[in-house]
Amino acid sequence: MTKSPRGRDGRRNHLRLVDSNPDPTQAPAAGVDVDTTPSVAVLETLLETLIFDLAAAPRSLHPVIAEASVARSAAMLADQLWPAGRPDEIGEVERFFWADAARVLGERRDPESFHLLTSLARTVGPAGRLPLQRAHLSRLRTEDEVPDWVTRIAGFRLTSAIVSEDITGDGLSVVLDYDDEQHPHTVVVFIDNNIGAIVKDVFVGPPVDRVLDAYQRGGRVTIRTVRPPTAAGIILQALGETNDYDDPPVTEDFEFFSALLVNRLTQLPERPIRPPIRPLLSPRQRDKLVDDFLDSTAGLPDDAADIVRLWIDHAVDHTVGGPLRVSAVLVELFLAHWLPRKVLADSTYFAAVPVVVKAWLAYAGDRTQLALDVVEEAVDAVDVWSPALEAAAIIDPVGERVLLDDTTSDLEDAYRALSGLGTPPQPDLQGLDKSQAATLSVLAPHAWLMAGETLGNAYAPDAFDIAERLVREAPDLLAKARLSTWPRAIVWLLAHRHRLVGPGETLTPYSLAADLASSPATLRKTAKLLTDTLILPTLT
């Protein structure tokens, strides 16, 4: 996970202080005895962060916020100070740092540093626990008055857990109940099934009875009680999925509370129970689902079998919950995001998709005996997101739809039948992986054809060349727009580079965008991505 260089309030966090160059304007005056060990600068930032986090929370939550603030800081320190090296070297650095931190905090007498020391002594792992606890006990003997909330830091016991799951299968919430007389609270963990069952949100909630009341009043959820080790296993597996992302789409609260969550789960007296392995759906089982659907539904378009199989593949391979899940969110993901990037097809094919998806949703809702209002909500979402397919459709028919990650010559064969340009060049696929080769084999000929038909035959080679350079030199850029948008953007770029658009010219921005079946804003934005990334030759 990429850590932000700034805290939630915009201030620099301690990651930027470690190994940073000191500010020469703040150097200590000669002769002044100042503790300049690395721990001091880091601890000052940890203390500043803790004070800010506590100030932003109600006093009833101070023990929880203190635990979360310090757990987050300790996790970020671990990433920065001892991320590499042999285990014995890592342990030595970590032990030295925490021993020095314990010395510094143990010598101070202000209450804020005692709050930090208490939080660290009860949160930091084995490498620093002993010196921090010794320093904490030493200071505890000399403290005049210790607030009650300080004694509760990291002292909560998990008493029960519930799982609340949306009936659409979009996600589930695991609610951990910490039933304390003075500071009762829950830690709520939301797992998003539509993004591979990752933990997307973690936050501190009210006592569990209020959480249950809110779920029951809201409806559309199933609630079950689970043992704490079972809840821990569900959460830890989902956290593993989250960690597989370089930049997971998580909330700000996740960033703040996730370290607290991990600390609490790993300190449970019982080992977490791993959830059962999700069963795989074989190609034969997927085909059987398609056949059962076609046998039960009449009057479908010719491409129904292909479209339903794509729906099943998306639901099984990219989300969690199975192909029979009926969800408005799943409809959005399939129609507006996945299908336009997966399939290259004309408007005839894409026009059949909404009809088939609606029929599939009705079929799946009937098989799972889902409430009619939930099915109707998902069916209505089809109409909302169908325009995304219209925008992704190519202008000229390709005969059959083309999967953009399959190596196939179907598209080239379709081009051969088009008049005016003849056969497109064959892109050089040497050195590319399978996915890049498949993308280039579709993208470059399509750009060549669109440029030739829109601007003239002379511009087709340049479009082909830019498409090839895009795949080879900037493959990560492809994810920033639909694959079918890139040929249009290349033609838009060529038209403006060659000054074919503007006053006195036959093309205007709006007429060119209409020819390319897109909007000027989309084309302008995507073309700018090209010019910002690729160094194009100067026109002579």
Side-chain angles (χ1 to χ4, degrees):
M1 184 187 306
T2 304
K3 300 290 193 302
S4 169
R6 293 185 178 270
R8 294 192 297 169
D9 58 339
R11 295 177 290 112
R12 291 179 55 165
N13 64 33
H14 58 269
L15 287 179
R16 291 295 182 183
L17 294 178
V18 178
D19 294 331
S20 61
N21 295 322
D23 187 345
T25 62
Q26 299 182 7
V32 176
D33 185 14
V34 177
D35 192 339
T36 58
T37 61
S39 299
V40 174
V42 177
L43 289 173
E44 287 298 333
T45 304
L46 265 63
L47 183 57
E48 180 187 359
T49 301
L50 176 59
I51 292 172
F52 175 83
D53 289 334
L54 290 174
R59 191 171 183 84
S60 61
L61 283 179
H62 276 195
V64 181
I65 297 300
E67 180 186 356
S69 178
V70 171
R72 178 187 60 169
S73 295
M76 297 170 85
L77 276 174
D79 287 346
Q80 181 70 17
L81 290 180
W82 38 88
R86 294 193 297 271
D88 56 336
E89 293 175 343
I90 298 171
E92 187 63 31
V93 172
E94 189 176 2
R95 284 191 294 272
F96 174 82
F97 176 85
W98 290 122
D100 195 49
R103 177 188 64 80
V104 172
L105 292 175
E107 293 173 353
R108 297 185 177 182
R109 289 297 174 263
D110 59 290
E112 291 78 12
S113 65
F114 179 70
H115 301 164
L116 176 61
L117 178 58
T118 303
S119 303
L120 289 171
R122 297 179 178 182
T123 304
V124 171
R129 186 175 300 155
L130 185 58
L132 287 168
Q133 288 180 346
R134 285 175 175 170
H136 175 256
L137 290 174
S138 177
R139 281 202 59 176
L140 187 61
R141 299 188 189 100
T142 62
E143 289 295 313
D144 294 333
E145 183 178 356
V146 179
D148 177 70
W149 70 265
V150 176
T151 66
R152 303 298 300 161
I153 295 174
F156 299 103
R157 184 173 63 89
L158 177 61
T159 57
S160 63
I162 62 173
V163 173
S164 169
E165 188 165 6
D166 193 296
I167 60 175
T168 64
D170 287 328
L172 58 89
S173 294
V174 182
V175 183
L176 306 176
D177 176 28
Y178 293 88
D179 187 12
D180 181 85
E181 291 182 0
Q182 295 174 301
H183 303 280
H185 64 278
T186 54
V187 175
V188 183
V189 183
F190 176 66
I191 299 172
D192 193 335
N193 285 339
N194 288 317
I195 318 179
I198 70 168
V199 175
K200 191 173 183 178
D201 196 9
V202 179
F203 59 92
V204 172
V208 69
D209 56 342
R210 290 168 55 189
V211 175
L212 283 170
D213 181 61
Y215 285 150
Q216 290 166 352
R217 283 188 286 107
R220 299 186 56 162
V221 296
T222 60
I223 301 173
R224 68 182 189 273
T225 301
V226 297
R227 295 178 56 230
T230 300
I234 294 171
I235 294 170
L236 291 173
Q237 176 169 292
L239 282 172
E241 298 291 340
T242 310
N243 292 334
D244 286 341
Y245 280 76
D246 291 331
D247 187 17
V250 296
T251 65
E252 185 178 321
D253 281 338
F254 173 91
E255 297 283 1
F256 186 74
F257 288 111
S258 58
L260 172 147
L261 175 67
V262 172
N263 278 1
R264 289 189 177 187
L265 293 181
T266 53
Q267 292 172 16
L268 289 176
E270 298 179 79
R271 290 177 58 87
I273 299 174
R274 187 180 182 90
I277 297 176
R278 303 186 190 102
L280 298 176
L281 205 62
S282 68
R284 180 175 296 179
Q285 290 172 313
R286 300 183 193 198
D287 290 339
K288 178 67 165 53
L289 275 175
V290 174
D291 292 339
D292 291 345
F293 166 68
L294 295 177
D295 290 342
S296 66
T297 311
L300 294 174
D302 293 339
D303 293 312
D306 184 75
I307 294 168
V308 170
R309 178 57 190 269
L310 288 174
W311 173 279
I312 292 172
D313 290 344
H314 171 257
V316 173
D317 298 334
H318 298 274
T319 75
V320 173
L324 295 174
R325 188 157 64 85
V326 176
S327 155
V329 177
L330 191 57
V331 168
E332 176 189 350
L333 293 174
F334 181 71
L335 296 182
H337 302 282
W338 188 77
L339 195 63
R341 289 175 171 84
K342 177 75 172 179
V343 170
L344 188 67
D346 56 28
S347 57
T348 302
Y349 181 89
F350 280 143
V353 172
V355 176
V356 175
V357 171
K358 286 181 179 181
W360 171 263
L361 292 171
Y363 169 79
D366 183 62
R367 281 195 53 172
T368 56
Q369 298 183 336
L370 199 59
L372 289 179
D373 63 317
V374 178
V375 178
E376 290 171 356
E377 180 184 79
V379 170
D380 290 342
V382 175
D383 293 328
V384 173
W385 298 107
S386 291
L389 297 178
E390 298 171 9
I394 65 172
I395 297 173
D396 301 289
V398 297
E400 298 279 340
R401 69 102 176 98
V402 178
L403 287 175
L404 296 181
D405 58 359
D406 285 349
T407 53
T408 175
S409 61
D410 290 347
L411 189 63
E412 182 181 347
D413 293 339
Y415 286 141
R416 293 180 188 276
L418 297 175
S419 60
L421 288 171
T423 304
Q426 182 67 33
D428 180 12
L429 306 180
Q430 186 173 1
L432 300 176
D433 61 30
K434 181 180 178 181
S435 177
Q436 290 174 328
T439 300
L440 180 56
S441 66
V442 170
L443 182 61
H446 191 45
W448 174 88
L449 173 70
M450 187 170 285
E453 294 199 331
T454 306
L455 306 179
N457 291 7
Y459 301 98
D462 286 346
F464 188 96
D465 179 64
I466 293 174
E468 190 167 29
R469 290 187 57 195
L470 170 62
V471 176
R472 287 189 173 277
E473 299 175 20
D476 293 342
L477 204 63
L478 291 166
K480 296 184 180 295
R482 298 188 190 93
L483 195 58
S484 58
T485 300
W486 287 109
R488 297 176 167 96
I490 290 171
V491 175
W492 175 274
L493 174 63
L494 286 174
H496 284 79
R497 277 175 56 83
H498 289 276
R499 298 194 176 102
L500 303 178
V501 181
E505 301 296 337
T506 57
L507 289 174
T508 68
Y510 291 98
S511 65
L512 177 58
D515 290 342
L516 297 173
S518 189
S519 70
T522 298
L523 295 170
R524 190 179 299 112
K525 176 183 176 182
T526 311
K528 187 176 186 300
L529 292 174
L530 285 169
T531 55
D532 288 347
T533 306
L534 302 179
I535 300 176
L536 302 176
T538 304
L539 296 177
T540 56

